[in-house]
């Protein structure tokens, strides 16, 4: 079936590091969280901290369908079966696993996934526009830069000095620099990867900014412990899993799925409808990247109205720098040291900044 903008999965996975998010928000038992849906994993990860509710918001029906499918996978499958359905590990029985899950889906989500048997067969985690973009890089660009043996060696555990040496002497060759700049340019990324709207408010070289962060992930951090880079290179997880998919978190998420509330609406509407002081934790993903400065300011104001005193707000800036407006300076206290520390650890290494604010 031909996809329209309304039916397209933009992100079949969350491409933000939930370990960093959880440390930033420090969710306490019984709190109420608001979370941008995206691929769904990070909203599910919040359940491991025992909140009273997690209100998951997305304005795209396809993203809500992604989270519904994953939630029912937690509910009806074993841990290893869930990994198979999502494409995290190889499988030849994903249609059978989907048949066990589909009965728990809403009619709209069931119709969505019934119409996409190829996405089910290929692994749900590969079904998004962003993931298909990385698949193009993996299949057609990366082999022009490095051999499979060189790629495998990149993900072999080694110490910090050895990682930097391998990056500088083997990985960072002329082909890597040239093809990286081309493939992650504004034109190619906007055409095949992210929504062109994402670049409306961006200035400067997109590829150069991403390259700085990718070097950090490949040389300063350990790629053997990075599920996001492993998926880009291999189309699956090799030696690491995102937080929500780890075995030790499976039962906590499964047992608290009834605390998830799915809302198909712009986040601004949900915040406007919420009473003052409704939420104590906010996962805003990189939502500000899609907003003009005025829209960003309005969203910060809505968060301030709907947040409790002491509420934590976490969000990423990838290319656009978005911060609370000056008129809210007395309402948002930036936990700058914490944000910097977590940004250094962030394994989803595309973002130029990670911000943690606290409502006073």
């Amino acid at each position: 079936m031909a996809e329209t903008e309304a039916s397209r999965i933009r992100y079949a996975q969350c491409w933000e590091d939930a370990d960093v998010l959880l440390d930033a928000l420090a969710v306490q038992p019984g709190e109420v969280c608001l979370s941008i849906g995206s691929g769904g994993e990070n909203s599910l990860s919040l359940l491991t901290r025992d909140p009273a509710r997690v209100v998951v918001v997305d304005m795209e029906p396809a993203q809500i369908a992604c989270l519904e499918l994953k939630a029912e996978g937690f509910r009806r499958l074993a841990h290893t079966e869930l990994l198979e359905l999502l494409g995290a590990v190889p499988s030849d029985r994903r249609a059978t696993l989907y048949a066990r899950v589909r009965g728990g889906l809403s009619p709209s989500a069931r119709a969505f996934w019934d119409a996409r048997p190829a996405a089910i067969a290929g692994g749900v985690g590969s079904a998004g526009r962003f993931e298909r973009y990385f698949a193009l890089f993996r299949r057609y660009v990366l082999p022009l830069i490095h051999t499979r043996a060189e790629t495998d060696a990149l993900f072999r555990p080694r110490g910090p000095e050895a990682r930097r040496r391998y990056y500088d002497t083997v990985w960072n060759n002329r082909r890597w620099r040239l093809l990286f700049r081309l493939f992650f340019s504004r034109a190619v990324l906007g055409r095949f990867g992210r929504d062109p709207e994402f670049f409306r408010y961006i200035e400067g070289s997109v590829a150069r900014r991403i390259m700085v962060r990718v070097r950090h992930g490949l040389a300063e951090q350990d790629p053997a412990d990075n599920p996001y880079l492993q998926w880009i290179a291999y189309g699956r997880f090799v030696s690491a899993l995102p937080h929500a998919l780890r075995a030790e978190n499976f039962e906590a998420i499964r047992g608290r799925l009834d605390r998830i509330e799915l809302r198909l609406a712009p986040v601004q509407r949900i915040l406007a409808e919420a009473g003052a002081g409704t939420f104590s934790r906010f996962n805003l993903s990189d939502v500000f990247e899609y907003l003009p400065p005025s829209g960003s300011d309005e969203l910060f104001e809505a968060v301030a109205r709907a947040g409790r005193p002491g509420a934590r707000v976490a969000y990423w800036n990838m290319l656009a720098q978005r911060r609370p407006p000056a008129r809210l300076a007395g309402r948002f206290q930036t936990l700058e040291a914490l944000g910097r520390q977590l940004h250094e650890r962030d394994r989803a290494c595309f973002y130029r900044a990670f911000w943690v604010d606290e409502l006073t």
Side-chain angles (χ1 to χ4, degrees):
M1 78 180 261
E3 283 192 325
T4 65
E5 282 298 317
S7 68
R8 178 177 296 152
I9 302 170
R10 299 178 188 274
Y11 306 101
Q13 305 178 41
C14 277
W15 289 90
E16 293 108 20
D17 190 341
D19 290 287
V20 165
L21 175 68
L22 292 174
D23 285 352
L25 293 183
V27 178
Q28 300 301 305
E31 291 187 320
V32 179
C33 307
L34 181 137
S35 182
I36 299 297
S38 186
E41 288 89 350
N42 286 6
S43 299
L44 293 168
S45 283
L46 291 171
L47 293 176
T48 64
R49 297 305 190 260
D50 199 22
R53 289 192 295 146
V54 178
V55 179
V56 182
V57 181
D58 208 292
M59 60 189 298
E60 302 289 345
Q63 302 305 141
I64 295 294
C66 280
L67 195 147
E68 276 201 51
L69 182 66
K70 292 171 185 178
E72 284 304 308
F74 272 93
R75 195 188 310 273
R76 295 172 179 243
L77 301 177
H79 176 249
T80 55
E81 293 172 330
L82 175 66
L83 296 182
E84 288 183 62
L85 179 64
L86 299 185
V89 297
S91 177
D92 59 2
R93 57 170 184 161
R94 294 191 180 109
T96 301
L97 295 173
Y98 171 66
R100 289 168 52 190
V101 167
R102 70 182 295 276
L105 301 176
S106 67
S108 58
R110 190 182 311 133
F112 181 91
W113 290 112
D114 284 353
R116 290 164 174 79
I120 296 294
V124 172
S126 298
R129 186 173 191 252
F130 201 47
E131 290 77 19
R132 291 197 295 270
Y133 176 68
F134 286 136
L136 292 175
F137 178 79
R138 178 169 61 251
R139 293 169 188 164
Y140 302 112
V141 179
L142 188 55
L144 298 176
I145 304 172
H146 289 292
T147 66
R148 178 59 180 262
E150 288 169 333
T151 299
D152 291 346
L154 179 70
F155 289 92
R156 190 176 303 141
R158 48 167 63 90
E161 288 303 322
R163 287 198 303 270
R164 296 183 193 108
R165 185 164 56 251
Y166 187 82
Y167 182 88
D168 292 336
T169 62
V170 178
W171 195 260
N172 189 29
N173 61 28
R174 186 176 301 174
R175 295 187 304 277
W176 166 253
R177 294 191 295 271
L178 173 62
L179 293 176
F180 189 100
R181 284 197 299 268
L182 291 174
F183 194 79
F184 291 96
S185 66
R186 182 191 303 254
V188 177
L189 186 54
R191 173 67 177 84
F192 297 105
R194 305 198 77 167
D195 190 324
E197 283 291 307
F198 180 79
F199 300 97
R200 175 176 291 190
Y201 310 106
I202 306 302
E203 297 180 357
S205 170
V206 172
R208 185 178 300 114
R209 294 180 186 177
I210 297 175
M211 172 70 92
V212 170
R213 288 300 300 165
V214 169
R215 185 209 176 274
H216 180 78
L218 293 177
E220 302 303 322
Q221 297 178 331
D222 187 355
D225 189 40
N226 194 315
Y228 309 100
L229 292 177
Q230 289 175 20
W231 190 284
I232 294 171
Y234 295 102
R236 59 186 174 86
F237 303 121
V238 179
S239 57
L241 290 169
H243 179 272
L245 300 185
R246 295 175 202 151
E248 62 267 25
N249 298 320
F250 183 78
E251 290 299 334
I253 294 174
R254 187 211 287 265
R256 297 166 181 160
L257 290 170
D258 60 341
R259 305 184 194 183
I260 289 276
E261 297 180 15
L262 299 181
R263 304 293 299 274
L264 177 61
V267 64
Q268 295 90 335
R269 182 190 306 169
I270 301 305
L271 291 171
E273 294 172 354
T278 296
F279 300 106
S280 51
R281 296 295 185 265
F282 296 83
N283 163 33
L284 297 183
S285 182
D286 63 348
V287 66
F288 294 105
E289 301 277 328
Y290 296 88
L291 300 175
S294 60
S296 176
D297 291 352
E298 290 169 3
L299 181 52
F300 278 115
E301 290 175 346
V303 168
R305 285 194 301 270
R308 299 175 183 175
R312 287 272 182 99
V313 186
Y315 51 96
W316 283 263
N317 288 170
M318 181 175 176
L319 299 170
Q321 186 82 325
R322 295 287 186 262
R323 299 288 294 124
R327 62 180 176 272
L328 294 177
R331 190 75 169 92
F332 285 84
Q333 177 184 354
T334 301
L335 306 183
E336 192 167 352
L338 177 61
R340 282 200 308 268
Q341 174 192 358
L342 294 176
H343 188 230
E344 285 297 303
R345 284 176 37 205
D346 195 341
R347 293 167 305 162
C349 52
F350 317 108
Y351 299 96
R352 67 186 296 185
F354 178 63
W355 295 102
V356 186
D357 296 329
E358 195 166 84
L359 294 180
T360 59

